[in-house]
């Protein structure tokens, strides 16, 4: 256990030092985050009560609705990008093979390699929530414990998808269909920017097979409406089911990808 914590520390330190070397990028991201928040704040002012019938299950306020959606959908984007980018970078630098022959298990390596990205994503989520509260979002009834449960299952579920994405990148180098498909469909069908209830019923079926739908809805219910754990059960159970299925499948696929690339001698790319 101590060894795992030591390795986690060095992976986090590596990510932190890399982030420090791109200070301008850090402040640029914060600026565009604030820009996005303000954009939807004024859109919410424009909409007013026009969408109240669709927003009623989520508290009735569009700005609060979209703020939670934007904040927590970032975990999906991080999951889809960080694992695959980490694998690709290590391949390009010729260090992937050295990492995979260490005593550390493959699952630990892929988890630790993206640890800093999730820490930074959590910092961005915190900034979203703080700015939202400053702009009038009411979280006084928030069920923090329920939100943490949703968050844990969200990270497990999204990370599993990210590991599948990294497996494609490791083997095929380019053209990852998981990344392209989910990145393009999640914001549209996942209820990030608007309630899925605006869709016709046949399109809502697409939303119901996307984990992000249950993640952002659960977060809205927990943070904006203070739902208890029992009231959050539909989202918690669905995310748990996704996690139970996706995590072992993704680790199995990744290990098979490693074996295939080792056999083909493709761990190093120039």
């Amino acid at each position: 256990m101590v060894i795992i914590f030591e390795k986690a520390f060095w992976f986090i330190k590596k990510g932190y030092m890399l982030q420090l070397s791109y200070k301008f990028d850090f402040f640029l991201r914060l600026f565009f985050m604030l820009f996005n928040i303000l954009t939807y704040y004024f859109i919410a002012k424009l909409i007013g009560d026009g969408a109240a019938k669709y927003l009623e299950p989520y508290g009735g306020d569009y700005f609060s609705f979209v703020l939670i959606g934007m904040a927590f959908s970032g975990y999906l984007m991080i999951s889809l990008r960080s694992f695959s980018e980490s694998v690709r970078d290590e391949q390009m630098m010729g260090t992937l093979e050295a990492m995979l022959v260490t005593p550390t298990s493959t699952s630990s390596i892929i988890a630790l390699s993206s640890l800093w990205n999730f820490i930074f994503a959590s910092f961005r989520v915190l900034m979203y929530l703080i700015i939202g509260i400053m702009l009038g979002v009411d979280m006084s009834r928030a069920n923090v414990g329920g939100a943490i449960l949703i968050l844990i299952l969200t990270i497990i579920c999204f990370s599993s998808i990210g590991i599948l994405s990294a497996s494609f990148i490791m083997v095929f180098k380019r053209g990852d269909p998981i990344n392209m498909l989910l990145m393009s469909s999640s914001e549209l069908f996942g209820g990030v920017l608007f309630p899925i209830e605006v869709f016709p019923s046949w399109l809502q079926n697409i939303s119901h097979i996307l984990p992000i739908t249950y993640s952002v809805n659960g977060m809205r219910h927990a943070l904006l409406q203070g739902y208890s754990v029992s009231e959050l059960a539909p989202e918690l159970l669905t995310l748990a089911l996704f996690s139970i299925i996706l995590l072992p499948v993704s680790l199995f696929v990744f290990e098979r990808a490693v074996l295939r690339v080792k056999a083909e001698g493709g761990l190093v790319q120039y």
Side-chain angles (χ1 to χ4, degrees):
M1 183 63 71
V2 174
I3 295 175
I4 290 294
F5 278 117
E6 287 180 358
K7 290 178 179 179
F9 171 78
W10 287 111
F11 272 102
I12 292 171
K13 184 176 180 180
K14 174 187 174 184
Y16 174 71
M17 296 302 294
L18 187 62
Q19 187 72 59
L20 281 183
S21 63
Y22 296 98
K23 295 184 179 67
F24 180 71
D25 175 70
F26 173 78
F27 289 108
L28 199 62
R29 289 188 187 190
L30 290 182
F31 170 77
F32 280 108
M33 181 182 72
L34 179 60
F35 186 84
N36 282 338
I37 292 173
L38 289 176
T39 297
Y40 285 104
Y41 175 76
F42 291 115
I43 288 175
K45 291 288 187 184
L46 177 65
I47 292 174
D49 297 328
K53 68 175 182 178
Y54 295 112
L55 296 170
E56 187 176 353
Y58 311 99
D61 175 56
Y62 179 69
F63 179 59
S64 301
F65 176 92
V66 77
L67 179 81
I68 300 299
M70 288 192 301
F72 289 95
S73 66
Y75 283 109
L76 177 61
M77 307 311 161
I78 287 294
S79 299
L80 288 175
R81 290 175 178 169
S82 63
F83 291 106
S84 57
E85 287 178 357
S86 176
V87 165
R88 187 62 178 150
D89 289 345
E90 298 294 345
Q91 276 185 315
M92 295 298 291
M93 292 187 294
T95 55
L96 181 62
E97 186 172 13
M99 289 175 60
L100 293 176
V101 297
T102 63
T104 308
S105 66
T106 302
S107 58
S108 297
I109 288 173
I110 57 179
L112 296 175
S113 64
S114 298
L115 196 54
W116 168 255
N117 291 325
F118 282 99
I119 292 173
F120 188 69
S122 298
F123 168 74
R124 292 182 72 244
V125 167
L126 183 62
M127 292 301 297
Y128 266 107
L129 299 181
I130 290 173
I131 295 172
I133 291 171
M134 292 172 62
L135 291 174
V137 175
D138 182 12
M139 295 189 193
S140 59
R141 297 180 294 168
N143 177 1
V144 177
I148 290 174
L149 288 176
I150 293 283
L151 178 60
I152 292 170
L153 291 172
T154 292
I155 291 176
I156 294 173
C157 188
F158 289 177
S159 296
S160 302
I161 299 171
I163 293 168
L164 287 173
S165 175
S167 303
F168 274 93
I169 291 296
M170 179 176 288
V171 175
F172 300 107
K173 313 302 184 293
R174 295 177 182 271
D176 170 23
I178 295 176
N179 196 323
M180 290 185 287
L181 181 62
L182 283 178
M183 288 280 283
S184 59
S185 64
S186 291
E187 283 197 355
L188 177 60
F189 295 109
V192 174
L193 301 179
F194 47 81
I196 65 172
E197 286 79 7
V198 302
F199 290 127
S201 57
W202 63 275
L203 270 181
Q204 290 183 33
N205 293 329
I206 298 176
S207 303
H208 294 150
I209 64 173
L210 296 174
I212 193 171
T213 303
Y214 305 94
S215 175
V216 294
N217 283 350
M219 280 298 179
R220 288 176 182 126
H221 293 320
L223 294 176
L224 300 177
Q225 297 169 285
Y227 274 28
S228 65
V229 172
S230 60
E231 290 174 311
L232 293 171
E235 288 83 8
L236 288 169
L237 292 174
T238 304
L239 288 171
L241 180 61
F242 274 119
S243 300
I244 290 169
I245 295 172
L246 289 173
L247 184 58
V249 169
S250 65
L251 292 176
F252 173 78
V253 171
F254 189 84
E255 289 178 356
R256 299 298 299 177
V258 170
L259 292 175
R260 174 173 172 174
V261 175
K262 279 182 177 179
E264 296 174 353
L267 286 174
V268 180
Q269 286 292 313
Y270 299 102

